[in-house]
């Protein structure tokens, strides 16, 4: 891949892009020209590890919604985060009484949720730029790309869009590709999906 490559999500949907980046173990950034502001996905060896610009206030709101902090603490955090030079981790530990594990899990969930929303973009322009790994990014906050693709499609796609981007499977015999069974855990499949996979392991004819 060249140092920088441009395209559009209407030709290269995000689901396909993420699968491609995972396969190539791409390291760099994926910039998507969203409204009201562009978002930049930081990728390391094919795995999304950050989304820019960061939105720390979203994390504080999530903690409030989950009942992890009170309204009083929420107001204190919001005020403190508006000050320059504030260290978010220190603030969350001292004011919200969160331990490092809770902070890590909340940040990972926020990254997953924000990345999932990007699947709503259907025709935005994007730019892929290969670059060395960013040492400023916490590699522990990473989202499994196949899990992200699966949940992004489930949350943002309707049947019409699914057929348009992937194609209809009607009148086709489908079987799980040999050697792929070991990778199924990456998608986070549950009991509902496992029932379908049993058919795919045997080979299944889709009528409509």
């Amino acid at each position: 891949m060249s140092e920088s490559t441009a395209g559009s999500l209407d030709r290269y949907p995000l689901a396909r892009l993420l699968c491609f980046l995972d396969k190539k173990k791409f390291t760099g950034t994926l910039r998507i020209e969203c409204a009201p502001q562009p978002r930049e996905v930081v990728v390391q060896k094919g795995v999304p590890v950050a989304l820019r610009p960061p939105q720390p206030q979203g994390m504080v709101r999530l903690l409030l919604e989950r009942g992890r902090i009170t309204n009083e603490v929420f107001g204190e955090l919001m005020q403190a985060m508006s000050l320059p030079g504030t260290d978010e981790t220190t603030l969350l530990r001292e004011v919200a009484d969160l331990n490092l594990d809770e902070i890590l899990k909340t940040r990972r969930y926020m990254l997953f949720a924000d990345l999932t929303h990007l699947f709503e973009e259907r025709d935005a322009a994007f730019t892929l730029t290969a670059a060395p790994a960013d040492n400023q990014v916490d590699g522990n906050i990473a989202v499994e790309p196949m899990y992200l693709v699966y949940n992004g499609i489930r949350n943002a796609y309707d049947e019409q869009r699914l057929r348009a981007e992937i194609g209809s499977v009607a009148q086709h015999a489908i079987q799980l590709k040999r050697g792929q069974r070991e990778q199924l855990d990456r998608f986070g499949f549950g009991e509902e999906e496992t029932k379908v996979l049993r058919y795919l392991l045997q080979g299944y004819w889709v009528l409509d």
Side-chain angles (χ1 to χ4, degrees):
M1 178 182 294
S2 61
E3 184 175 353
S4 185
T5 303
S8 176
L9 293 180
D10 59 349
R11 292 194 61 192
Y12 304 99
L14 183 57
R16 291 180 181 270
L17 265 179
L18 290 172
C19 289
F20 172 78
L21 299 181
D22 175 57
K23 182 178 180 180
K24 296 296 183 181
K25 303 304 176 188
F26 172 85
T27 295
T29 60
L30 167 60
R31 178 185 172 91
I32 301 177
E33 303 299 328
C34 308
Q37 65 177 346
R39 305 303 301 273
E40 190 173 84
V41 184
V42 181
V43 183
Q44 292 182 359
K45 295 183 178 180
V47 179
V49 295
L51 185 62
R52 296 169 177 159
Q55 298 179 322
Q57 293 183 353
M59 180 175 174
V60 178
R61 294 183 188 280
L62 176 64
L63 292 170
L64 178 65
E65 291 172 3
R66 291 184 167 183
R68 186 58 186 82
I69 60 175
T70 63
N71 286 316
E72 182 179 356
V73 172
F74 172 77
E76 189 175 347
L77 286 171
M78 292 291 281
Q79 183 177 5
M81 285 184 171
S82 66
L83 301 175
T86 300
D87 182 76
E88 181 185 78
T89 300
T90 301
L91 193 64
L92 290 171
R93 294 186 70 180
E94 294 180 353
V95 178
D97 194 29
L98 298 179
N99 59 48
L100 288 175
D101 186 57
E102 287 179 291
I103 294 172
L104 182 66
K105 288 180 178 178
T106 305
R107 283 177 175 161
R108 185 181 293 116
Y109 177 81
M110 284 299 302
L111 175 59
F112 167 74
D114 287 344
L115 289 169
T116 300
H117 286 310
L118 291 179
F119 282 80
E120 297 171 4
E121 299 290 336
R122 301 186 62 167
D123 56 6
F126 70 82
T127 305
L128 273 174
T129 303
D134 188 342
N135 293 328
Q136 302 296 319
V137 173
D138 186 354
N140 292 317
I141 305 173
V143 176
E144 163 59 55
M146 296 301 99
Y147 180 73
L148 175 61
V149 166
Y150 177 63
N151 282 276
I153 289 176
R154 286 203 67 172
N155 285 284
Y157 279 53
D158 55 19
E159 184 176 350
Q160 182 178 4
R161 183 180 178 187
L162 195 63
R163 289 177 181 269
E165 292 188 8
I166 298 178
S168 173
V169 296
Q171 306 301 321
H172 286 76
I174 298 177
Q175 187 170 11
L176 193 66
K177 187 177 179 180
R178 182 173 297 179
Q180 296 302 304
R181 187 173 184 176
E182 294 75 13
Q183 299 191 45
L184 296 181
D185 288 343
R186 298 182 64 194
F187 294 85
F189 289 147
E191 183 178 350
E192 179 183 349
E193 293 85 359
T194 301
K195 293 178 182 178
V196 178
L197 291 172
R198 291 197 190 103
Y199 287 111
L200 295 179
L201 287 169
Q202 300 169 6
Y204 191 69
W205 185 266
V206 181
L207 298 178
D208 190 9

